[in-house]
Amino acid sequence: MIDLLDSHTHTLASGHAYSTMNDMIAAAQQKGLSLLALTEHAPGMPGTCYDGYFYNLKILPRKRGQLWTLFGVELNILNRNGDVDLAEDDYKMLDVTIASIHPPCYHETDPEAHTEAYLNVMRQPYINIIGHPDDGRFPVDYKQLAESAKAYHKLLEVNSSSLAPTTFRKNARENYHEMLYWCRKYETPVIVNSDAHADFLVGDHSRALDLLEDEHFPQELVVNTDLEMYFSYINYMREN
């Protein structure tokens, strides 16, 4: 499968990642990617950058040679209402926004709350990607997730890190099996991302791509194969 981009990565600024911005960009160039997005954790995550970090991303170039270099945020979903930890006026100016559930920031225990949280966050127009909706600790109705992602023009992520032996997320492969079934049914596009927290992991999508192949998932529903399709989902083209 053609794999042009990695749209979910973290640098030292996120507090628990291990490479600089320039390290990550160099790794993307070395691996022949066409696009890299650096998406630091939003302020609700312990140890990450404060709000002002995101305000100043406008000064950075969006091309490094032939490589698109975009800048965004991985927002923390806070509750079943779909509230996140950065104001819309702040994140809508970023190139790409991911919204994810992370245990340090999300404390809902009602099983129905997790699906509600994702559905409510998808109603927010400047959120582009639902990050790693695969963790068995937060069970989800994947039928509703795929149907709503199609309706609200959002991308569902297949997160390669969730499939690694070192992951702390539970039952990701089984959950992706169900999610991809409903994405095929509703023709809901997905995005494959590394969630890299170190430069050597940039563009490492091997586990996710193997899973898509095993699931016979159609390439035309994977935005990594088509930059134009990817850009149609993110804030960058809306704001430029």
Side-chain angles (χ1 to χ4, degrees), residues 9-15 17 19-25 36-45 47-60 62 64 69-74 85-86 90-91 93-96:
T9 66
H10 300 274
T11 76
L12 287 168
S14 282
S19 301
T20 68
M21 181 184 300
N22 285 338
D23 290 337
M24 301 293 274
I25 291 169
L36 175 71
L38 299 170
T39 51
E40 309 300 356
H41 284 289
M45 181 66 75
T48 193
C49 36
Y50 78 113
D51 300 19
Y53 178 90
F54 299 100
Y55 307 158
N56 205 39
L57 289 171
K58 61 188 178 183
I59 71 170
L60 298 173
R62 267 47 180 183
R64 302 287 184 100
T69 53
L70 303 186
F71 299 92
V73 63
E74 185 178 15
D85 55 340
L86 203 61
D90 298 331
Y91 69 70
M93 302 305 295
L94 301 178
D95 301 330
V96 57

Short mmCIF file of all heavy atoms in Angstrom, two decimals, residues 9-15 17 19-25 36-45 47-60 62 64 69-74 85-86 90-91 93-96:
data_model
loop_
_atom_site.label_atom_id
_atom_site.label_comp_id
_atom_site.label_asym_id
_atom_site.label_seq_id
_atom_site.Cartn_x
_atom_site.Cartn_y
_atom_site.Cartn_z
N THR A 9 2.46 12.42 15.71
CA THR A 9 3.78 12.20 16.30
C THR A 9 4.01 13.24 17.40
O THR A 9 3.33 14.27 17.46
CB THR A 9 4.90 12.32 15.25
OG1 THR A 9 4.97 13.67 14.76
CG2 THR A 9 4.69 11.37 14.08
N HIS A 10 4.99 12.95 18.25
CA HIS A 10 5.28 13.81 19.41
C HIS A 10 6.78 14.06 19.53
O HIS A 10 7.59 13.18 19.26
CB HIS A 10 4.78 13.16 20.70
CG HIS A 10 3.31 12.88 20.71
ND1 HIS A 10 2.38 13.82 21.10
CD2 HIS A 10 2.60 11.78 20.36
CE1 HIS A 10 1.17 13.30 21.00
NE2 HIS A 10 1.27 12.06 20.55
N THR A 11 7.12 15.27 19.97
CA THR A 11 8.51 15.63 20.24
C THR A 11 8.72 15.80 21.74
O THR A 11 7.80 15.58 22.55
CB THR A 11 8.88 16.94 19.54
OG1 THR A 11 8.31 18.05 20.27
CG2 THR A 11 8.41 16.98 18.10
N LEU A 12 9.91 16.23 22.10
CA LEU A 12 10.23 16.51 23.50
C LEU A 12 9.21 17.42 24.17
O LEU A 12 9.00 17.35 25.39
CB LEU A 12 11.61 17.17 23.59
CG LEU A 12 12.84 16.30 23.33
CD1 LEU A 12 14.06 17.19 23.17
CD2 LEU A 12 13.04 15.30 24.45
N ALA A 13 8.56 18.27 23.38
CA ALA A 13 7.61 19.23 23.95
C ALA A 13 6.44 18.54 24.65
O ALA A 13 5.81 19.14 25.53
CB ALA A 13 7.08 20.16 22.85
N SER A 14 6.13 17.31 24.27
CA SER A 14 5.00 16.60 24.89
C SER A 14 5.33 16.08 26.29
O SER A 14 4.44 15.60 26.99
CB SER A 14 4.55 15.44 24.00
OG SER A 14 3.75 15.92 22.93
N GLY A 15 6.60 16.12 26.66
CA GLY A 15 6.96 15.79 28.04
C GLY A 15 7.36 14.35 28.28
O GLY A 15 8.14 14.07 29.19
N ALA A 17 8.12 12.26 25.41
CA ALA A 17 8.70 11.81 24.14
C ALA A 17 10.19 12.16 24.16
O ALA A 17 10.65 12.87 25.06
CB ALA A 17 7.99 12.46 22.97
N SER A 19 12.58 12.91 21.24
CA SER A 19 13.33 13.47 20.12
C SER A 19 12.89 14.91 19.87
O SER A 19 11.77 15.31 20.20
CB SER A 19 13.10 12.65 18.84
OG SER A 19 13.52 11.31 19.04
N THR A 20 13.79 15.68 19.26
CA THR A 20 13.48 17.07 18.94
C THR A 20 12.64 17.14 17.66
O THR A 20 12.53 16.17 16.91
CB THR A 20 14.75 17.88 18.73
OG1 THR A 20 15.40 17.41 17.53
CG2 THR A 20 15.70 17.76 19.91
N MET A 21 12.12 18.33 17.41
CA MET A 21 11.39 18.58 16.16
C MET A 21 12.27 18.29 14.96
O MET A 21 11.84 17.61 14.01
CB MET A 21 10.92 20.03 16.15
CG MET A 21 10.14 20.44 14.94
SD MET A 21 9.73 22.21 14.96
CE MET A 21 8.78 22.34 16.47
N ASN A 22 13.51 18.76 14.98
CA ASN A 22 14.39 18.55 13.83
C ASN A 22 14.75 17.08 13.67
O ASN A 22 14.91 16.60 12.54
CB ASN A 22 15.65 19.41 13.97
CG ASN A 22 15.38 20.87 13.68
OD1 ASN A 22 14.41 21.21 13.00
ND2 ASN A 22 16.24 21.75 14.18
N ASP A 23 14.88 16.35 14.77
CA ASP A 23 15.11 14.90 14.69
C ASP A 23 13.95 14.21 13.97
O ASP A 23 14.17 13.33 13.12
CB ASP A 23 15.22 14.28 16.08
CG ASP A 23 16.49 14.68 16.83
OD1 ASP A 23 17.47 15.06 16.18
OD2 ASP A 23 16.47 14.62 18.08
N MET A 24 12.73 14.58 14.33
CA MET A 24 11.55 13.94 13.75
C MET A 24 11.44 14.26 12.26
O MET A 24 11.12 13.39 11.43
CB MET A 24 10.29 14.39 14.49
CG MET A 24 10.29 14.08 15.99
SD MET A 24 10.23 12.32 16.37
CE MET A 24 8.46 12.04 16.35
N ILE A 25 11.71 15.52 11.91
CA ILE A 25 11.65 15.93 10.51
C ILE A 25 12.72 15.20 9.69
O ILE A 25 12.45 14.71 8.59
CB ILE A 25 11.80 17.45 10.40
CG1 ILE A 25 10.54 18.14 10.96
CG2 ILE A 25 12.05 17.88 8.96
CD1 ILE A 25 10.67 19.63 11.14
N LEU A 36 4.67 15.07 7.29
CA LEU A 36 4.78 14.75 8.71
C LEU A 36 4.00 15.79 9.49
O LEU A 36 4.14 16.99 9.24
CB LEU A 36 6.24 14.78 9.16
CG LEU A 36 6.48 14.59 10.67
CD1 LEU A 36 6.20 13.14 11.08
CD2 LEU A 36 7.90 14.99 11.05
N ALA A 37 3.17 15.35 10.42
CA ALA A 37 2.49 16.28 11.34
C ALA A 37 3.00 16.02 12.75
O ALA A 37 3.00 14.87 13.22
CB ALA A 37 0.98 16.11 11.27
N LEU A 38 3.42 17.08 13.42
CA LEU A 38 3.84 17.03 14.82
C LEU A 38 2.66 17.50 15.66
O LEU A 38 2.22 18.65 15.53
CB LEU A 38 5.07 17.90 15.03
CG LEU A 38 6.29 17.47 14.21
CD1 LEU A 38 7.39 18.52 14.29
CD2 LEU A 38 6.82 16.13 14.70
N THR A 39 2.15 16.63 16.49
CA THR A 39 0.88 16.87 17.20
C THR A 39 1.11 16.68 18.69
O THR A 39 0.85 15.60 19.23
CB THR A 39 -0.20 15.91 16.68
OG1 THR A 39 0.32 14.56 16.73
CG2 THR A 39 -0.59 16.23 15.25
N GLU A 40 1.57 17.74 19.35
CA GLU A 40 1.91 17.61 20.76
C GLU A 40 0.66 17.43 21.62
O GLU A 40 -0.44 17.87 21.27
CB GLU A 40 2.68 18.84 21.23
CG GLU A 40 3.87 19.22 20.38
CD GLU A 40 4.97 18.17 20.26
OE1 GLU A 40 4.89 17.12 20.92
OE2 GLU A 40 5.91 18.42 19.49
N HIS A 41 0.86 16.80 22.78
CA HIS A 41 -0.24 16.65 23.73
C HIS A 41 -0.70 18.02 24.22
O HIS A 41 0.11 18.91 24.49
CB HIS A 41 0.20 15.81 24.92
CG HIS A 41 0.29 14.34 24.60
ND1 HIS A 41 -0.83 13.57 24.40
CD2 HIS A 41 1.36 13.52 24.45
CE1 HIS A 41 -0.45 12.33 24.15
NE2 HIS A 41 0.87 12.26 24.15
N ALA A 42 -2.01 18.15 24.35
CA ALA A 42 -2.61 19.40 24.84
C ALA A 42 -2.34 19.57 26.34
O ALA A 42 -1.89 18.63 27.02
CB ALA A 42 -4.11 19.39 24.56
N PRO A 43 -2.62 20.76 26.90
CA PRO A 43 -2.18 21.09 28.26
C PRO A 43 -2.71 20.20 29.37
O PRO A 43 -2.12 20.18 30.46
CB PRO A 43 -2.67 22.53 28.43
CG PRO A 43 -2.70 23.09 27.06
CD PRO A 43 -3.14 21.95 26.19
N GLY A 44 -3.78 19.45 29.15
CA GLY A 44 -4.30 18.60 30.21
C GLY A 44 -3.41 17.41 30.54
O GLY A 44 -3.53 16.83 31.63
N MET A 45 -2.54 17.02 29.64
CA MET A 45 -1.65 15.89 29.87
C MET A 45 -0.49 16.33 30.78
O MET A 45 0.17 17.33 30.49
CB MET A 45 -1.10 15.37 28.55
CG MET A 45 -0.17 14.19 28.66
SD MET A 45 -0.98 12.70 29.27
CE MET A 45 -1.91 12.21 27.80
N GLY A 47 2.90 17.23 32.24
CA GLY A 47 4.25 17.40 31.71
C GLY A 47 4.36 17.97 30.32
O GLY A 47 5.47 18.20 29.84
N THR A 48 3.24 18.20 29.65
CA THR A 48 3.31 18.68 28.27
C THR A 48 3.43 20.21 28.22
O THR A 48 3.54 20.89 29.24
CB THR A 48 2.08 18.20 27.47
OG1 THR A 48 2.33 18.41 26.06
CG2 THR A 48 0.82 18.92 27.88
N CYS A 49 3.39 20.75 27.00
CA CYS A 49 3.54 22.18 26.80
C CYS A 49 2.27 22.94 27.23
O CYS A 49 1.18 22.38 27.25
CB CYS A 49 3.87 22.47 25.35
SG CYS A 49 3.07 21.40 24.16
N TYR A 50 2.45 24.21 27.52
CA TYR A 50 1.32 25.05 27.92
C TYR A 50 0.67 25.67 26.69
O TYR A 50 1.16 25.53 25.56
CB TYR A 50 1.79 26.13 28.91
CG TYR A 50 2.50 27.30 28.30
CD1 TYR A 50 1.93 28.58 28.32
CD2 TYR A 50 3.74 27.15 27.66
CE1 TYR A 50 2.58 29.66 27.75
CE2 TYR A 50 4.39 28.22 27.10
CZ TYR A 50 3.81 29.47 27.14
OH TYR A 50 4.45 30.55 26.57
N ASP A 51 -0.46 26.34 26.90
CA ASP A 51 -1.26 26.86 25.78
C ASP A 51 -0.44 27.68 24.78
O ASP A 51 -0.63 27.57 23.57
CB ASP A 51 -2.40 27.75 26.30
CG ASP A 51 -3.36 27.03 27.23
OD1 ASP A 51 -2.99 25.98 27.76
OD2 ASP A 51 -4.47 27.54 27.42
N GLY A 52 0.46 28.50 25.30
CA GLY A 52 1.21 29.41 24.45
C GLY A 52 2.06 28.72 23.41
O GLY A 52 2.37 29.30 22.36
N TYR A 53 2.45 27.48 23.66
CA TYR A 53 3.23 26.73 22.68
C TYR A 53 2.46 26.63 21.37
O TYR A 53 3.03 26.79 20.28
CB TYR A 53 3.53 25.33 23.22
CG TYR A 53 4.28 24.44 22.26
CD1 TYR A 53 5.68 24.43 22.27
CD2 TYR A 53 3.62 23.63 21.35
CE1 TYR A 53 6.38 23.62 21.38
CE2 TYR A 53 4.32 22.83 20.46
CZ TYR A 53 5.70 22.83 20.48
OH TYR A 53 6.39 22.04 19.60
N PHE A 54 1.18 26.38 21.46
CA PHE A 54 0.35 26.19 20.27
C PHE A 54 0.08 27.51 19.55
O PHE A 54 -0.03 27.55 18.33
CB PHE A 54 -0.95 25.47 20.64
CG PHE A 54 -0.72 24.12 21.23
CD1 PHE A 54 -0.76 23.93 22.60
CD2 PHE A 54 -0.41 23.04 20.42
CE1 PHE A 54 -0.53 22.67 23.15
CE2 PHE A 54 -0.17 21.79 20.95
CZ PHE A 54 -0.23 21.60 22.33
N TYR A 55 0.00 28.62 20.31
CA TYR A 55 -0.26 29.91 19.68
C TYR A 55 0.86 30.28 18.72
O TYR A 55 0.63 30.94 17.70
CB TYR A 55 -0.37 31.03 20.73
CG TYR A 55 -1.34 30.81 21.85
CD1 TYR A 55 -1.18 31.50 23.05
CD2 TYR A 55 -2.42 29.93 21.73
CE1 TYR A 55 -2.08 31.31 24.10
CE2 TYR A 55 -3.30 29.74 22.77
CZ TYR A 55 -3.12 30.43 23.96
OH TYR A 55 -3.98 30.24 25.01
N ASN A 56 2.09 29.88 19.05
CA ASN A 56 3.25 30.37 18.30
C ASN A 56 3.68 29.44 17.17
O ASN A 56 4.63 29.74 16.46
CB ASN A 56 4.43 30.58 19.27
CG ASN A 56 5.43 31.60 18.75
OD1 ASN A 56 5.04 32.60 18.16
ND2 ASN A 56 6.71 31.35 18.96
N LEU A 57 2.97 28.35 16.95
CA LEU A 57 3.34 27.43 15.86
C LEU A 57 3.22 28.09 14.49
O LEU A 57 3.79 27.60 13.51
CB LEU A 57 2.47 26.18 15.92
CG LEU A 57 2.76 25.23 17.08
CD1 LEU A 57 1.69 24.15 17.16
CD2 LEU A 57 4.15 24.61 16.97
N LYS A 58 2.51 29.20 14.42
CA LYS A 58 2.33 29.90 13.14
C LYS A 58 3.66 30.37 12.55
O LYS A 58 3.74 30.63 11.34
CB LYS A 58 1.40 31.09 13.33
CG LYS A 58 1.92 32.13 14.30
CD LYS A 58 0.90 33.20 14.62
CE LYS A 58 1.45 34.20 15.65
NZ LYS A 58 0.43 35.22 16.02
N ILE A 59 4.70 30.50 13.37
CA ILE A 59 5.97 31.02 12.85
C ILE A 59 6.77 29.97 12.08
O ILE A 59 7.73 30.31 11.38
CB ILE A 59 6.86 31.58 13.98
CG1 ILE A 59 7.40 30.45 14.87
CG2 ILE A 59 6.09 32.62 14.80
CD1 ILE A 59 8.47 30.90 15.86
N LEU A 60 6.39 28.71 12.15
CA LEU A 60 7.21 27.64 11.60
C LEU A 60 6.87 27.37 10.14
O LEU A 60 5.70 27.42 9.76
CB LEU A 60 7.03 26.36 12.42
CG LEU A 60 7.45 26.47 13.89
CD1 LEU A 60 7.07 25.21 14.64
CD2 LEU A 60 8.95 26.74 14.01
N ARG A 62 5.92 25.41 6.77
CA ARG A 62 5.13 24.21 6.50
C ARG A 62 5.75 23.34 5.41
O ARG A 62 5.19 22.30 5.07
CB ARG A 62 3.71 24.59 6.11
CG ARG A 62 2.73 24.63 7.27
CD ARG A 62 3.20 25.34 8.51
NE ARG A 62 2.19 25.33 9.56
CZ ARG A 62 2.34 25.94 10.74
NH1 ARG A 62 3.44 26.63 11.01
NH2 ARG A 62 1.39 25.86 11.65
N ARG A 64 9.66 21.68 4.39
CA ARG A 64 11.11 21.52 4.56
C ARG A 64 11.59 20.73 3.34
O ARG A 64 11.43 19.52 3.29
CB ARG A 64 11.46 20.76 5.85
CG ARG A 64 10.93 21.38 7.13
CD ARG A 64 11.68 22.63 7.53
NE ARG A 64 11.19 23.13 8.81
CZ ARG A 64 11.80 22.94 9.99
NH1 ARG A 64 12.92 22.23 10.04
NH2 ARG A 64 11.29 23.45 11.10
N THR A 69 5.51 19.84 6.48
CA THR A 69 5.67 19.76 7.93
C THR A 69 4.52 20.54 8.56
O THR A 69 4.52 21.77 8.56
CB THR A 69 7.03 20.32 8.39
OG1 THR A 69 7.19 21.64 7.85
CG2 THR A 69 8.15 19.43 7.93
N LEU A 70 3.54 19.82 9.07
CA LEU A 70 2.37 20.44 9.68
C LEU A 70 2.47 20.35 11.20
O LEU A 70 3.19 19.51 11.75
CB LEU A 70 1.10 19.75 9.19
CG LEU A 70 0.87 19.74 7.68
CD1 LEU A 70 -0.50 19.16 7.36
CD2 LEU A 70 1.02 21.14 7.08
N PHE A 71 1.71 21.23 11.85
CA PHE A 71 1.78 21.34 13.30
C PHE A 71 0.38 21.36 13.87
O PHE A 71 -0.50 22.09 13.39
CB PHE A 71 2.57 22.59 13.70
CG PHE A 71 3.98 22.56 13.20
CD1 PHE A 71 4.31 23.12 11.97
CD2 PHE A 71 4.97 21.91 13.92
CE1 PHE A 71 5.61 23.05 11.48
CE2 PHE A 71 6.27 21.85 13.44
CZ PHE A 71 6.59 22.41 12.22
N GLY A 72 0.18 20.54 14.89
CA GLY A 72 -1.16 20.45 15.47
C GLY A 72 -1.12 20.05 16.92
O GLY A 72 -0.15 20.30 17.63
N VAL A 73 -2.18 19.39 17.34
CA VAL A 73 -2.36 19.06 18.75
C VAL A 73 -3.10 17.73 18.88
O VAL A 73 -3.95 17.40 18.03
CB VAL A 73 -3.14 20.18 19.48
CG1 VAL A 73 -4.56 20.34 18.93
CG2 VAL A 73 -3.17 19.95 20.99
N GLU A 74 -2.75 16.97 19.90
CA GLU A 74 -3.57 15.84 20.32
C GLU A 74 -4.33 16.28 21.56
O GLU A 74 -3.77 16.35 22.66
CB GLU A 74 -2.74 14.60 20.59
CG GLU A 74 -3.64 13.41 20.91
CD GLU A 74 -2.90 12.11 21.16
OE1 GLU A 74 -1.67 12.14 21.37
OE2 GLU A 74 -3.56 11.06 21.15
N ASP A 85 -9.36 19.90 26.17
CA ASP A 85 -8.55 20.73 27.07
C ASP A 85 -7.84 21.89 26.38
O ASP A 85 -6.80 22.36 26.86
CB ASP A 85 -7.55 19.87 27.84
CG ASP A 85 -6.67 19.02 26.93
OD1 ASP A 85 -7.05 18.79 25.77
OD2 ASP A 85 -5.62 18.56 27.40
N LEU A 86 -8.39 22.36 25.29
CA LEU A 86 -7.92 23.58 24.65
C LEU A 86 -9.13 24.24 24.02
O LEU A 86 -10.02 23.56 23.50
CB LEU A 86 -6.88 23.24 23.58
CG LEU A 86 -5.87 24.32 23.14
CD1 LEU A 86 -5.00 24.76 24.31
CD2 LEU A 86 -4.98 23.79 22.00
N ASP A 90 -8.43 28.44 19.95
CA ASP A 90 -6.99 28.17 19.90
C ASP A 90 -6.66 27.02 18.96
O ASP A 90 -5.73 27.11 18.17
CB ASP A 90 -6.47 27.86 21.31
CG ASP A 90 -6.65 29.03 22.25
OD1 ASP A 90 -6.64 30.19 21.78
OD2 ASP A 90 -6.83 28.80 23.47
N TYR A 91 -7.42 25.93 19.02
CA TYR A 91 -7.03 24.78 18.21
C TYR A 91 -7.52 24.86 16.77
O TYR A 91 -6.97 24.20 15.89
CB TYR A 91 -7.44 23.46 18.86
CG TYR A 91 -8.90 23.13 18.94
CD1 TYR A 91 -9.64 22.79 17.81
CD2 TYR A 91 -9.55 23.08 20.17
CE1 TYR A 91 -10.99 22.45 17.90
CE2 TYR A 91 -10.89 22.74 20.27
CZ TYR A 91 -11.60 22.42 19.13
OH TYR A 91 -12.93 22.08 19.23
N MET A 93 -7.01 27.10 14.69
CA MET A 93 -5.99 27.71 13.85
C MET A 93 -4.82 26.76 13.57
O MET A 93 -3.93 27.08 12.79
CB MET A 93 -5.45 28.98 14.53
CG MET A 93 -6.53 30.01 14.82
SD MET A 93 -7.49 30.48 13.35
CE MET A 93 -6.22 31.29 12.38
N LEU A 94 -4.82 25.58 14.20
CA LEU A 94 -3.75 24.61 13.98
C LEU A 94 -4.02 23.81 12.71
O LEU A 94 -5.15 23.69 12.26
CB LEU A 94 -3.63 23.69 15.19
CG LEU A 94 -3.33 24.40 16.52
CD1 LEU A 94 -3.29 23.39 17.66
CD2 LEU A 94 -2.02 25.18 16.44
N ASP A 95 -2.97 23.24 12.16
CA ASP A 95 -3.09 22.54 10.88
C ASP A 95 -3.95 21.28 11.00
O ASP A 95 -4.72 20.97 10.09
CB ASP A 95 -1.70 22.14 10.36
CG ASP A 95 -0.79 23.33 10.16
OD1 ASP A 95 -1.30 24.42 9.87
OD2 ASP A 95 0.44 23.16 10.29
N VAL A 96 -3.77 20.56 12.08
CA VAL A 96 -4.47 19.28 12.25
C VAL A 96 -4.73 19.06 13.73
O VAL A 96 -3.89 19.37 14.57
CB VAL A 96 -3.66 18.12 11.63
CG1 VAL A 96 -2.27 18.01 12.23
CG2 VAL A 96 -4.40 16.80 11.77
#
